Amino acid sequence: MSQAIRYVRYGGPEVLTLDDVPLPDPGPGQVRVAVRATGVNGIDWKLRSGFMDRGRRPVGPTGVGVEFAGTIDALGAGVGSGKGVGGWSAGQAVFGRVPSGAAATHVLADTGNLLAMPDWLSFEQAAALPVAVETAWRALRELDVTEGHTLLIHAVAGGVGLVAAQLARARGVRVVGTASQARHDFLRDLGVRPVEYGEDREDREDMAERVRAAAPEGVDAVLDASGRDVLAMSVELAGGPDRVVTIADGRAAEYGVRFSSGVGGSPLEEVFAEVLPLLERGALRVPLERTFPLERTADAHRLSEQGHLLGKIVITVP
């Protein structure tokens, strides 16, 4: 028997329940992973609330969670045994992503969305990486920022924002980021020029001036990871909508801005070929805002919905 966090109707965190479910069997090209930790992302509570389905009811019990770390405990047909390229083995520590259902004691994962976990990573750290790292890496590729450019990141202290900022800095890009005042010292230590958030329309107008003061050389590109009505300002600062990408504002088309949805996603092997060496030598950090046990997934969702986080929320599985 396995356990999984699920919901049968859309709503707030209170709709989540911890259910006993049959132990899943891996199909061809899959492995079953005994989950040790799973990350929490904005997409989790947006799906749970029905925001993505425009009021339609979910079809049966639905799991939550799209990234995980754990150990392989069963191999599907066609999955090579033994470590190395194309080979996986029972007991091997791994991390990766799935379409849904990672908040559980066991999850099925396609091997193409799986990576071997280095021994210098903890399960909690590894579970925080796949979504934030792939999203940040993809957004920087779409913006095509290179050495000497100045990048503005809205919500730079969140998981995606922090990874994008550090990746950009490693590539020689200047980074300006909007964040709450309490995060500014941490951001300066990363080489980011922090700017205070604009909480309302009037303050956002002042925020544009604060950005200009922090980046007198001008802004070459903008990554919006906040979804807090900053697209018009971002287009103005960057000099055009083609220099702005959002991962959080569904009104992107109204402003001619690209919405990076990550459907399909970039190959994790390609993404982490650049990122793992940075993580190992401490040139990239993804702090954990807080961890919760599996049975308190609803509390993790509540905290995620509040925003203003530093890094990621992670759920641990005994």
Side-chain angles (χ1 to χ4, degrees):
M1 188 64 72
S2 180
Q3 289 186 306
I5 298 291
R6 304 192 300 177
Y7 59 93
V8 295
R9 61 182 175 87
Y10 294 128
E14 69 278 358
V15 303
L16 297 175
T17 57
L18 179 60
D19 300 338
D20 292 329
V21 297
L23 190 66
D25 292 322
Q30 290 184 323
V31 298
R32 185 175 67 215
V33 177
V35 179
R36 294 289 300 276
T38 178
V40 176
N41 299 279
I43 189 63
D44 298 333
W45 53 263
K46 289 178 181 178
L47 289 168
R48 183 217 69 223
S49 67
F51 177 79
M52 310 294 286
D53 281 339
R54 301 186 183 277
R56 294 192 298 271
R57 293 182 61 84
V59 181
T62 304
V64 299
V66 296
E67 60 184 350
F68 64 91
T71 56
I72 294 174
D73 74 349
L75 306 174
V79 178
S81 181
K83 296 182 181 180
V85 177
W88 304 96
S89 59
Q92 185 178 2
V94 294
F95 66 109
R97 62 188 179 193
V98 289
S100 66
T105 57
H106 299 82
V107 68
L108 299 181
D110 294 335
T111 56
N113 288 319
L114 203 63
L115 291 171
M117 196 180 94
D119 56 13
W120 45 265
L121 269 181
S122 69
F123 287 111
E124 292 80 7
Q125 291 169 326
L129 296 176
V131 170
V133 169
E134 189 279 328
T135 304
W137 190 91
R138 167 173 30 90
L140 292 182
R141 182 182 59 185
E142 293 174 357
L143 286 168
D144 193 27
V145 287
T146 58
E147 185 173 0
H149 283 160
T150 298
L151 171 67
L152 169 62
I153 302 175
H154 293 294
V156 72
V160 173
L162 279 177
V163 174
Q166 293 173 87
L167 278 177
R169 293 290 299 139
R171 298 172 183 179
V173 176
R174 294 182 293 266
V175 177
V176 178
T178 62
S180 59
Q181 186 68 42
R183 311 303 189 195
H184 285 197
D185 286 344
F186 179 85
L187 293 168
R188 289 190 188 97
D189 287 343
L190 298 180
V192 175
R193 306 175 194 174
V195 173
E196 181 73 17
Y197 261 134
E199 295 293 349
D200 53 40
R201 185 175 297 276
E202 182 177 347
D203 195 23
R204 278 192 291 273
E205 293 176 2
D206 293 338
M207 183 169 66
E209 294 306 314
R210 293 194 291 271
V211 169
R212 291 187 179 97
E217 71 279 359
V219 170
D220 298 295
V222 181
L223 169 58
D224 170 35
S226 73
R228 294 175 179 268
D229 193 22
V230 295
L231 293 184
M233 177 187 67
S234 299
V235 170
E236 179 185 354
L237 287 168
D242 59 316
R243 301 302 301 151
V244 180
V245 165
T246 181
I247 62 167
D249 195 329
R251 299 175 303 162
E254 296 177 26
Y255 300 92
V257 168
R258 283 172 291 172
F259 185 92
S260 186
S261 67
V263 175
S266 306
L268 291 186
E269 187 174 6
E270 180 181 0
V271 173
F272 280 89
E274 176 182 2
V275 172
L276 280 179
L278 294 174
L279 286 163
E280 185 174 17
R281 66 174 185 262
L284 194 156
R285 292 177 282 163
V286 182
L288 302 185
E289 171 76 28
R290 190 169 172 185
T291 61
F292 292 87
L294 183 64
E295 63 269 20
R296 291 186 59 196
T297 299
D299 291 330
H301 277 220
R302 289 188 183 94
L303 182 59
S304 178
E305 289 185 58
Q306 291 173 14
H308 297 292
L309 306 174
L310 181 62
K312 291 291 295 285
I313 299 169
V314 167
I315 294 165
T316 58
V317 183

